[in-house]
Amino acid sequence: MRTLQGLVLKNIESMESLRLGGKAVIYDIVLSREDNKYVARSKEWPEVSVVETSREAAVDQIKSRLLDYLTSEVEVIQIDIPLAAQSKNPVLDKFGWFKNDPTFDDLQSEIASYRQELDQEMGDLGDLTE
């Protein structure tokens, strides 16, 4: 039987911060227990995981494995994606989207009908409690 004692290590004070390019990078690690062993898995990089017999060894090994993965096996880059200009009110950005939709009135009728059904059901429930 599998015992899962999921523990997300948000505060990695017991682990030293990983050092990449001179910057400290803190990763969330999911630590679980399976068959008397500790499984440590990086939340952001699920393919990076280790299985150890002790919690401390699992934490040390995931730190080492994650550092090796990020410095030797993959390249982490940042890219800029330009977004369309938005107004200060996100609701207004969507205003008028359905003005030419021929099914909009049907949608409004369906919503009103569904609300009436719910109101009727709630009224029936009120009769039962009295």
Side-chain angles (χ1 to χ4, degrees):
M1 181 171 155
R2 203 175 129 171
T3 312
L4 184 62
Q5 179 190 31
L7 173 59
V8 177
L9 299 175
K10 287 209 176 266
N11 184 355
I12 312 183
E13 291 176 358
S14 62
M15 294 174 61
E16 298 166 20
S17 294
L18 294 176
R19 299 249 170 225
L20 298 174
K23 295 179 182 178
V25 179
I26 296 177
Y27 286 96
D28 289 339
I29 303 298
V30 178
L31 185 64
S32 60
R33 197 157 178 197
E34 298 177 15
D35 300 325
N36 293 324
K37 295 194 180 212
Y38 290 87
V39 178
R41 181 173 288 112
S42 171
K43 186 175 162 189
E44 291 85 358
W45 306 95
E47 62 274 22
V48 179
S49 65
V50 298
V51 178
E52 289 292 336
T53 55
S54 73
R55 183 181 189 279
E56 294 77 22
V59 171
D60 289 341
Q61 285 300 313
I62 192 68
K63 181 172 62 169
S64 175
R65 177 70 184 101
L66 187 56
L67 182 60
D68 181 56
Y69 180 77
L70 293 173
T71 57
S72 302
E73 297 180 33
V74 297
E75 180 180 3
V76 179
I77 63 171
Q78 294 179 336
I79 60 172
D80 291 327
I81 299 175
L83 300 175
Q86 295 181 350
S87 71
K88 292 182 181 180
N89 185 339
V91 173
L92 293 180
D93 290 338
K94 309 291 185 232
F95 188 77
W97 275 25
F98 297 105
K99 68 180 177 185
N100 295 323
D101 187 340
T103 64
F104 184 74
D105 290 334
D106 295 334
L107 173 66
Q108 294 301 311
S109 296
E110 288 293 323
I111 291 172
S113 174
Y114 181 66
R115 285 182 180 162
Q116 288 174 354
E117 285 178 33
L118 289 178
D119 288 344
Q120 181 66 36
E121 288 176 15
M122 294 304 289
D124 292 345
L125 289 176
D127 294 341
L128 293 175
T129 58
E130 294 175 359

